[in-house]
Amino acid sequence: MATLICAAPAVAVITLALRPDQGDVAFGGDLLRDGAIGTALVVALGGAGAVVFGAMAAWLVSLCRFPGRGVFEWLLVIPLAAPSYVLAYAYTGITWHGAAPIEVRGLWGAAFVYAIGLYPYVYLAARAAFASQSACALEAARSLGASPWRVFWEVALPLARPGIAAGAALAMMEIAADYGAAYHFGLTTLSTAVFRAWYAHGSLDGALQIAAVLLLAAIVFLIVERRARGRAAFGGGSSRWRPLPRYQLSPLPGLLASGFCVALIAFGAVLPLAWLGRLALLHGDLGDVVQPFVNSVILSAAGALITLALAAAIAVSARRSKSIGKLSLYGAAMGYAAPGAVIAMGALALFSIAREAGWIGGLGTALALAALFWTYAARFSAAGVQPIDAGLARLSKGLDASARTLGAGPWRRLIAVDLPIAGPSLAAAALILFVEILKELPATLILRPFDFDTLAVKAYSYASDERLLQAAAPALLIFLAGLAPIIILTRGIARARAGQA
Amino acid sequence: MSSVTLRNVRRAYNGAWALDDVSLTAPEGKVLALLGPSGSGKSTILRLIAGLESPDSGEILIGNETVSTPGRAMPTEQRRVGMVFQDYSLFPHLTAGANVAFGLDKLARADRDEQALRWLDRMGLKHRAGAYPHELSGGEQQRVALARALAPKPRAVLLDEPFSGLDPVLRAELRDATLATLAETQTTTLFVTHDAEDALQAADQLAILKAGKLLQSATPREAYDAPASLDAAAALGPINVFEGVSEGGVVRTPFGEIASSLPNGSRAYAAVRAEAVHLKPGSAARVVDVRPHGAHDLVRLEAQGVVWRALAPARTALGERVDVALHAAGSFVFSA
Amino acid sequence: MSFSISRRGFALGASALALAACNQNGGASGDGEENFVNVYTARHYDADRQLYAAFEEATGVQVRALTGNAEQLLERIRAEGDATEADLFVSADAGNLWRLKDAGLLQNVTTPTLEQNVPSNLRDPEGAYWGFTKRARVIMYRKDAVRPEEVATYDALATPRFRGQIVMRSSTNTYQLSTLASRIERHGADNARQWAAGVRANFARDPEGSDTDQIKAVAAGEAQATVVNHYYFVRLMKSEDPADRDVASKVGLVFPDQTTGGTHVNISGGGVTLHAKRRGRAIQFLEYLTGDAAQNLIAPANTEFPIRPSITPAPELAALGAFVEESIPLDALGRHQAEATRIFEEVGWR
C-alpha cells in the first residue's frame, strides 16, 4: 500500500511516456544518447569521489585515533545541509576567473561539487557499518600481523561494503536526479535533457519519455546494487559489544588524517558558507527571510513525518515478505533518481486523471498541497527506508517473540520494545528526510500554496533572476536550518552506539 | 501450572511436513525434553505451543483450555507461557532487572521491582540487576532469560536449546541449577535439545523426534532400555548397527548373538549401545583404536571386517585381541 | 501494519492540508467577484511585491502570488483545469505566454485602456496576453578588445572576426529561443540557421551559466562578446559587490541592428486564464500594470524599459541612450519557438 503510494507518481511518469497515442518525438534520439552518456559520466565520477571521500573519512574517524577526531566525527556530516545547486553557484563564484588556481566548471567541476556535497551519505552509512563491525574480526586481522592499511582494505572495507554501497547508491541517484548544478555547469545529462525537452521544445511528453528512461535506469541500477549487496550480507559477527580498537596514528599520518578531514569540511561547508556570508553581508539587507524560514521548517517537518510513515511501512513490509518487499524497495527508491519536477508532474497527472474520472473536483490549493506531499514521499522515501531498515535489523524476531510470551500486546511491543530499539534509526531517518525536503526546490516551487515561500524557493527566485547577492541570505539559511538536525543526528548516532547489543 | 497437550498436530513448511501427526503430553509440573537432530521439528513444537505459529491441523491444549486449533489461535501474549530463546533475546535497551520486570507489568511498580529482584536473587544475580545485557556473560544472560520467563508465573515454560551456547563445565552446572529451580517451582517445562545427555539428565519425560515424526514418548529409563525403533535407539547415544537375519530366535552378528522375537528368516537390524559392548581377553575381535572418553575408553573393535564401538571401563591396548559380550539390556533387534 | 501506517500518514497530511486550505479562503466581498486576484507569475522580483501592495492600496484588491517557473506553472494550470485558482498568468518572456495561449489556457481580453496603454508590437494580436515591461537583447563586448562598431549587428557575431571569441548561454533558455525566433520571423529559417551555425563556430566554450555569467566571462577575457538582456549589465553596474562593478567597467553595451531592423526586444506580460474565477479583477490588475502609476514603479525597479516610450525610463537606462527596436508581431516569438529549438540543436548549440 505504502509502496503503491510512493511509487505511483514515478509509475505514472513511465506510463505516460509509454502512451501509444503520442507521436514520435524527433529530438529523442540525440538528446537521449548525449544525456545518458553525460549522466553515466557524472554519476560515475561524482559517485566515485563521494565514495572515496566518505569511506576514507568514515574509516579514519571510526578506527583511527588522531588529533581532532572527536570533533571531525560529526563536523564531517555538515555538507549534507548544502544543496548541490548552492554549492555549484558558490564554487563558480569562489574560483571565478583567476580568483583561485583552479576553476570549478564543466564535468569535473560538477563531479567535484557532487562529491564534496554528497559524500556524507557514504560517510554516514560507512561509519554505521564500521561501528557495527565485529571488533573480533579486526583484532583477528591484527593478530595475524596485518598492517592498518591491509586491515582496512582486506577486512574492514569488505565488511562495510554493503553499507558503503547503500550510501553510494543514494549519492549516485541524487546526482542523476540533480538538475540545478548540472545545468549551471552546462552538462548534458538525462536530467537536463528532460528540461531541455520540456522548456526548449515545449514538449512535456518528450520530457516524460526521457524521465522514464532515467527511472528505468534507476531500477536496473538498484537491482544490481541489491544483488551485489545481497551476496555480501554479513552477520554482525560477535554479538558482544566492545569498543572498537583504534589505531593510534603517528604524528605525520595523524596530521594528514586531520588535514584530510579539515579539507572535506572546508570545501564542503566552510568555504561555500563563507562565500554566501560575504555576499549576504555585501547586500546588507537580509530581505524577508523569517516567514520563508518558518514555512520551510513547517513544510519540511510535515513532509518528513508523512514520508517517514510511508517509508516505515515500506521497510516493515519489505522485512515481512521477501519478493513483494524487494519490489517495494525498488518502487520506493525509483523516485529518488528522478528530478522533483518530473515526479511532481507524475503526481499532477494522477490528479488530472482522478479529476477527469470525476472522483475529485479540480486541483485546488488543498489538493496541490496533497500532490506536494505525495511528491515528497515519492521522491524521498528511499532516503528514509534505508536508515529505518537498519533500525529494524536490530529488532530480531526473537525480541518480538520474547515480548509476546511475556504477555505484551501489539501496542506495548511497539512502545516498549520496537520504538526504543529502532527509535534512534527512525529519528535519523526523520532528520535526513527533513534536510532533504528543506533543500528540495522544484516540486515545492510548482505545488506550494499561494504566498507561501520557502527558503529554497526564495533562493531560487533570486538566483534564477541572477541576483546572487540577494539569493545568498536564504541559501545561507537553508544551510543553517539543516545544520541543527544534522548535528542532532550525528551526536545521536554516537550515543546510540553505546546501547547496541 | 498446567499440563501441555498436543493432539494430532501437523505443520507444513513449503509443502514438507515439519511436524507430522504429533501427539504428546507434557505432564503438569514435570520436565519434558524434546530430543532430536536439527530439522526434527522440536523447535516448531515450542513455537506452536507459544502461539508464534499455528498448526495446520490438530489442536494444542494448555491444561484443559484449547489454545490452538487450525481455525482459531489464542494470541501468544494471552497464553501465559514463558519462553527462553536460544539466543536468550534479552531486550538490549533494558537492564537485567527491567528485563525480568517486563512481564510483570500488571503489578504495581514497587511490587514489580521487588519481584524482579527476588527472581534475580534466586538466580544469584541480584548484584547484576542494573547491568545491560551486553555487559553480562553468556551464563548470566541465560539466567536472566530464565528469570524473565519464570517471573510472570507462566502456566508452562519453554526452553529452546537453553544450554547450547555454553562451555561444557558451565553447561552442566547451569543445567543442574536450572533444573533445581524448575523443580522447586513445580514448573511444567518443555525443553528442546539435541544433546542426549542433557535430555537423559534433565527430563522426567522424553519425546524423541526425527524429521517431523514423534519416534517415542517415554520416561528416560524406558526410552533407554526399550527404544521403539532403531532411530529412537540411536537418538540416546552411540550405537552399533548390524543388518542381518533373524534365525532360531537370534540375530547373529560378528560380535555375538542377540535374542530376537522376529519370525524365522526375516531381515533384521541388530542394534547394540556402545556401553553394552563388554570386553574381556580373548581372540574374537581386534582393537583398532582407543580414545579416552571420560571415565571410560571409547574403543573401536574389528571383527570379520566390521567395526563396532565400545565404551570400556578398563584400559585396553591398541592391537590387543579381545572377546566380546553383548549386554542384553542395551541390545535390541528391529525389523528391517 | 503497512496499511495502518499509511493511513496515519494521510491523517497527518490531511491536517496540514486543512490548515493550508483555511489560509486560502477568505476575502470575499459583496460586488460579485471576490476582493482579490490570484496571479501565477514566473517573475520573482521583490519590486513586484511593492507593486501588489500599491495595487491593493489603490483599489482595495489583494494580489496573491504564486511564483514559479513558467513551464511548470503552465503544467499546473493545465492540471488544475477548470478548478484553477489562477486568474492571471505572468511571464518574463513572450514565448512562454504564447505557449499558454497555444495550449488554450488563456482567454482573449480587449479593453480600451489596454489598447491605449500597450503598443501593438508588444501584445498578442488577439489580446491573449499584454506586455507591461520591455527588455532589449543587447551585445556586450570587452572594451579593450573590441570596438563598438565591430559589434553593431547580431550578424557580426557570426563572422570569422570572432572565431573562438563568443560565449553564449544555453539554448534551453527562453530568451535565447526568442532571439532566434525573431530572426526567423525577420530573415527566414535558413538565415537563422546560418547565423546560429556561425555563432556556434565562434564559441570559446560550450554554453554554460546565466546571462550574468556570460558578461563576467567576457570581462575576464575568456571571450570578446556575448548576447544578454540589457538589465543584467545595468545590475552589475549598480551592484553592492565591487567585483561586479569591476566587471561592468570592462564591458561595453551595444543595441544591435540599429540600421537594419532594430534590436530584438521581449516583454514581461500577462494574460487572463481561461478558467479565471475573477476575470474582472484580473483585467483590472492588467490595466493597472500597464498604467502610468505602475509603469513608474515597476520598470525602474528592475531596470526594464517601460512599455510606452512616453514614460521616462530609469536614469541608468536613459544613460544608455535611445534605441530602435524591432517591429514584428509579438506572437512570432512563440510561433517560431519550436523551429528555433530545432535549429539550435542542428547546429550543436545546446
Side-chain angles (χ1 to χ4, degrees):
Chain A
M1 184 68 193
T3 307
L4 270 181
I5 293 172
C6 289
V11 172
V13 168
I14 295 176
T15 318
L16 287 174
L18 298 178
R19 259 177 328 187
D21 60 322
Q22 63 182 2
D24 181 42
V25 184
F27 57 86
D30 269 8
L31 206 51
L32 198 58
R33 189 200 59 218
D34 295 352
I37 294 171
T39 291
L41 270 177
V42 75
V43 163
L45 287 176
V51 167
V52 169
F53 292 163
M56 283 282 283
W59 154 258
L60 285 173
V61 301
S62 302
L63 297 170
C64 298
R65 211 174 299 142
F66 58 93
R69 193 202 64 82
V71 187
F72 292 140
E73 185 157 25
W74 60 273
L75 281 181
L76 279 165
V77 189
I78 290 178
L80 202 59
S84 297
Y85 55 89
V86 170
L87 286 182
Y89 277 119
Y91 273 103
T92 307
I94 292 168
T95 65
W96 182 71
H97 291 297
I102 307 175
E103 269 186 72
V104 174
R105 64 192 303 175
L107 176 62
W108 290 99
F112 167 76
V113 159
Y114 290 135
I116 202 74
L118 299 175
Y119 81 83
Y121 283 113
V122 182
Y123 169 76
L124 281 173
R127 204 179 53 157
F130 285 132
S132 64
Q133 267 175 19
S134 150
C136 298
L138 301 182
E139 280 171 349
R142 292 177 76 174
S143 74
L144 293 168
S147 67
W149 196 241
R150 228 187 115 204
V151 171
F152 173 63
W153 282 108
E154 294 182 21
V155 183
L157 197 60
L159 282 174
R161 207 177 62 201
I164 293 173
L170 280 183
M172 289 161 100
M173 289 205 289
E174 186 116 309
I175 296 172
D178 180 69
Y179 170 68
Y183 178 73
H184 178 77
F185 284 117
L187 305 186
T188 299
T189 65
L190 286 174
S191 277
T192 61
V194 164
F195 290 97
R196 187 172 174 81
W198 188 354
Y199 297 170
H201 290 269
S203 163
L204 184 60
D205 288 341
L208 291 175
Q209 286 180 354
I210 298 172
V213 171
L214 193 56
L215 288 168
L216 293 172
I219 293 184
V220 171
F221 173 74
L222 282 168
I223 290 174
V224 170
E225 191 263 337
R226 284 258 149 192
R227 282 271 159 84
R229 191 147 36 121
R231 259 184 292 140
F234 308 112
S238 141
S239 64
R240 270 207 267 159
W241 183 84
R242 199 130 29 98
L244 287 170
R246 286 206 168 97
Y247 291 105
Q248 175 70 54
L249 296 183
S250 49
L252 185 62
L255 219 57
L256 283 177
S258 305
F260 177 69
C261 294
V262 167
L264 285 184
I265 296 159
F267 285 121
V270 179
L271 213 53
L273 269 176
W275 184 77
L276 287 174
R278 176 179 159 269
L279 289 193
L281 284 177
L282 271 176
H283 183 56
D285 178 16
L286 279 183
D288 174 26
V289 289
V290 177
Q291 190 58 44
F293 181 85
V294 173
N295 289 348
S296 274
V297 170
I298 291 175
L299 200 61
S300 305
L305 286 178
I306 292 170
T307 310
L308 181 73
L310 290 169
I314 291 169
V316 167
S317 62
R319 292 214 149 246
R320 297 251 160 110
S321 65
K322 277 205 154 172
S323 52
I324 296 177
K326 270 184 193 156
L327 198 70
S328 63
L329 282 180
Y330 300 141
M334 182 166 60
Y336 200 62
V342 172
I343 299 295
M345 286 308 123
L348 275 182
L350 290 172
F351 275 107
S352 295
I353 291 167
R355 192 190 69 226
E356 277 157 26
W359 297 334
I360 54 171
L363 186 70
T365 302
L367 284 177
L369 200 55
L372 178 58
F373 285 124
W374 198 0
T375 305
Y376 287 153
R379 184 82 178 80
F380 296 124
S381 52
V385 166
Q386 239 148 25
I388 295 172
D389 192 52
L392 292 178
R394 303 180 62 193
L395 294 174
S396 71
K397 281 199 177 131
L399 290 183
D400 189 60
S402 289
R404 288 165 72 179
T405 60
L406 292 168
W411 282 108
R412 182 143 188 260
R413 294 203 297 275
L414 182 70
I415 293 165
V417 181
D418 297 359
L419 281 183
I421 293 177
S425 302
L426 286 179
L431 291 172
I432 286 180
L433 291 172
F434 179 87
V435 174
E436 287 276 14
I437 295 174
L438 196 66
K439 295 192 288 182
E440 206 283 337
L441 174 68
T444 314
L445 189 63
I446 183 67
L447 292 172
R448 73 199 198 281
F450 279 106
D451 293 327
F452 188 89
D453 284 351
T454 66
L455 291 172
V457 165
K458 205 83 181 158
Y460 161 79
S461 297
Y462 288 124
S464 73
D465 190 32
E466 306 183 19
R467 292 174 190 258
L468 291 188
L469 293 187
Q470 283 98 318
L476 199 62
L477 275 175
I478 299 176
F479 225 132
L480 296 178
L483 271 186
I486 281 171
I487 289 170
I488 297 171
L489 171 69
T490 44
R491 314 226 76 171
I493 290 174
R495 267 203 311 275
R497 169 106 178 92
Q500 264 172 359
Chain B
M1 287 301 151
S2 313
S3 62
V4 175
T5 307
L6 276 69
R7 282 190 193 143
N8 307 102
V9 169
R10 284 170 184 265
R11 171 83 176 135
Y13 296 122
N14 306 323
W17 291 116
L19 283 182
D20 188 0
D21 198 18
V22 169
S23 298
L24 59 80
T25 298
E28 185 175 340
K30 298 278 197 255
V31 175
L32 169 71
L34 300 165
L35 177 67
S38 53
S40 59
K42 55 195 193 306
S43 290
T44 302
I45 291 179
L46 293 197
R47 298 181 62 79
L48 287 169
I49 295 169
L52 298 170
E53 293 175 22
S54 292
D56 295 327
S57 65
E59 57 181 2
I60 297 171
L61 290 84
I62 298 177
N64 295 321
E65 187 183 12
T66 305
V67 293
S68 284
T69 58
R72 199 192 60 83
M74 179 191 270
T76 300
E77 50 267 31
Q78 292 167 21
R79 292 192 178 199
R80 296 185 46 233
V81 169
M83 186 152 178
V84 175
F85 294 82
Q86 192 167 0
D87 63 358
Y88 313 135
S89 287
L90 295 179
F91 301 121
H93 61 299
L94 299 179
T95 60
N99 261 285
V100 177
F102 188 93
L104 301 171
D105 58 308
K106 306 273 185 307
L107 302 181
R109 183 162 196 100
D111 287 353
R112 199 188 320 164
D113 294 348
E114 193 238 288
Q115 288 238 18
L117 265 187
R118 251 212 340 259
W119 274 102
L120 281 175
D121 193 20
R122 199 162 185 164
M123 301 289 165
L125 284 173
K126 195 174 184 177
H127 61 293
R128 302 294 274 152
Y132 282 92
H134 66 263
E135 297 164 329
L136 299 172
S137 71
E140 287 172 332
Q141 290 186 22
Q142 196 268 358
R143 283 181 282 163
V144 172
L146 185 64
R148 184 177 71 171
L150 291 175
K153 300 202 165 57
R155 294 193 283 184
V157 64
L158 315 170
L159 314 178
D160 191 356
E161 301 269 8
F163 314 115
S164 66
L166 306 168
D167 65 73
V169 177
L170 191 59
R171 181 189 181 108
E173 211 171 275
L174 210 55
R175 186 180 65 207
D176 295 344
T178 302
L179 282 173
T181 307
L182 292 171
E184 208 174 304
T185 51
Q186 292 276 297
T187 306
T188 307
T189 304
L190 287 91
F191 90 92
V192 153
T193 181
H194 60 267
D195 186 290
E197 186 179 338
D198 273 352
L200 292 170
Q201 296 290 319
D204 299 313
Q205 192 76 19
L206 211 55
I208 301 173
L209 292 138
K210 188 176 178 186
K213 287 200 162 48
L214 181 64
L215 301 180
Q216 188 169 18
S217 179
T219 64
R221 188 80 262 160
E222 288 165 359
Y224 189 83
D225 288 344
S229 66
L230 184 60
D231 284 334
L236 289 179
I239 200 158
N240 303 296
V241 181
F242 183 83
E243 194 178 346
V245 181
S246 179
E247 268 173 325
V250 294
V251 175
R252 237 176 275 281
T253 80
F255 298 91
E257 296 175 350
I258 300 160
S260 163
S261 56
L262 296 174
N264 256 359
S266 58
R267 303 201 56 77
Y269 287 119
V272 181
R273 297 195 185 282
E275 54 270 31
V277 180
H278 293 261
L279 312 182
K280 56 189 183 216
S283 62
R286 194 168 56 89
V287 175
V288 294
D289 188 31
V290 183
R291 305 270 164 187
H293 191 265
H296 295 65
D297 281 352
L298 181 62
V299 178
R300 281 173 203 277
L301 308 167
E302 189 266 342
Q304 299 167 32
V306 178
V307 174
W308 274 21
R309 290 165 298 175
L311 276 174
R315 297 269 169 248
T316 320
L318 198 62
E320 193 179 336
R321 296 205 75 89
V322 291
D323 275 349
V324 176
L326 303 177
H327 198 271
S331 303
F332 321 105
V333 169
F334 304 103
S335 151
Chain C
M1 174 108 169
S2 124
F3 187 64
S4 71
I5 287 183
S6 322
R7 275 219 311 252
R8 266 194 296 148
F10 269 126
L12 273 170
S15 55
L17 284 177
L19 274 175
C22 289
N23 292 338
Q24 300 302 319
N25 297 330
S29 81
D31 66 340
E33 275 184 10
E34 292 146 302
N35 220 10
F36 61 87
V37 58
N38 285 335
V39 180
Y40 281 11
T41 173
R43 279 171 61 98
H44 5 75
Y45 308 132
D46 283 350
D48 290 9
R49 299 218 162 260
Q50 299 167 24
L51 195 70
Y52 305 153
F55 178 64
E56 186 172 0
E57 196 165 310
T59 63
V61 177
Q62 189 200 348
V63 179
R64 301 196 318 196
L66 177 72
T67 59
N69 162 298
E71 290 85 351
Q72 294 176 14
L73 288 174
L74 184 157
E75 291 306 329
R76 177 159 171 178
I77 292 175
R78 199 203 299 269
E80 288 171 337
D82 56 11
T84 188
E85 287 292 317
D87 303 312
L88 191 67
F89 175 83
V90 170
S91 170
D93 180 274
N96 285 324
L97 286 162
W98 179 86
R99 270 188 198 170
L100 235 75
K101 181 193 177 189
D102 191 47
L105 297 173
L106 296 181
Q107 51 178 295
N108 295 335
V109 165
T110 308
T111 72
T113 312
L114 285 172
E115 292 201 307
Q116 193 189 336
N117 284 351
V118 184
S120 59
N121 68 321
L122 300 176
R123 67 195 200 204
D124 176 54
E126 293 173 299
Y129 47 89
W130 299 79
F132 59 84
T133 67
K134 185 169 73 183
R135 49 268 303 275
R137 200 79 179 145
V138 300
I139 294 178
M140 303 298 313
Y141 63 93
R142 198 166 77 248
K143 285 179 187 166
D144 63 12
V146 180
R147 281 172 292 118
E149 312 86 84
E150 292 178 294
V151 287
T153 62
Y154 295 111
D155 285 342
L157 302 182
T159 61
R161 155 72 181 85
F162 288 103
R163 185 61 36 98
Q165 294 299 342
I166 304 292
V167 284
M168 283 289 182
R169 187 173 190 171
S170 162
S171 64
T172 298
N173 179 257
T174 176
Y175 302 146
Q176 211 71 295
L177 289 172
S178 291
T179 306
L180 196 64
S182 109
R183 179 169 276 270
I184 294 171
E185 174 73 11
R186 279 159 63 178
H187 304 295
D190 290 341
N191 171 287
R193 183 176 297 105
Q194 276 165 25
W195 178 78
V199 174
R200 166 74 184 81
N202 287 347
F203 277 177
R205 56 144 167 78
D206 282 340
E208 68 174 56
S210 60
D211 276 15
T212 307
D213 291 332
Q214 314 307 317
I215 303 176
K216 287 180 173 177
V218 169
E222 192 174 340
Q224 293 179 351
T226 185
V227 174
V228 298
N229 283 0
H230 73 276
Y231 49 89
Y232 292 116
F233 169 64
V234 178
R235 271 194 216 153
L236 285 172
M237 284 196 305
K238 296 198 302 179
S239 172
E240 293 106 337
D241 189 343
D244 287 348
R245 295 196 297 271
D246 184 48
V247 165
S249 72
K250 290 182 175 152
V251 294
L253 179 149
V254 163
F255 290 106
D257 288 12
Q258 290 303 288
T259 58
T260 50
T263 300
H264 167 54
V265 292
N266 205 329
I267 56 159
S268 274
V272 180
T273 61
L274 181 64
H275 296 294
K277 306 280 180 300
R278 291 153 290 269
R279 182 172 180 272
R281 298 284 183 237
I283 295 172
Q284 190 183 359
F285 186 49
L286 207 49
E287 288 179 344
Y288 176 81
L289 284 172
T290 56
D292 285 11
Q295 287 293 309
N296 282 317
L297 196 64
I298 190 170
N302 194 36
T303 57
E304 291 169 282
F305 292 101
I307 202 71
R308 261 170 291 137
S310 58
I311 297 173
T312 322
E316 305 90 328
L317 294 185
L320 298 176
F323 69 98
V324 179
E325 68 187 57
E326 69 183 355
S327 182
I328 56 170
L330 192 58
D331 65 341
L333 302 187
R335 276 188 283 112
H336 299 307
Q337 204 172 45
E339 178 145 38
T341 303
R342 269 198 302 279
I343 291 175
F344 275 130
E345 239 145 50
E346 276 171 35
V347 305
W349 177 340
R350 273 282 154 82

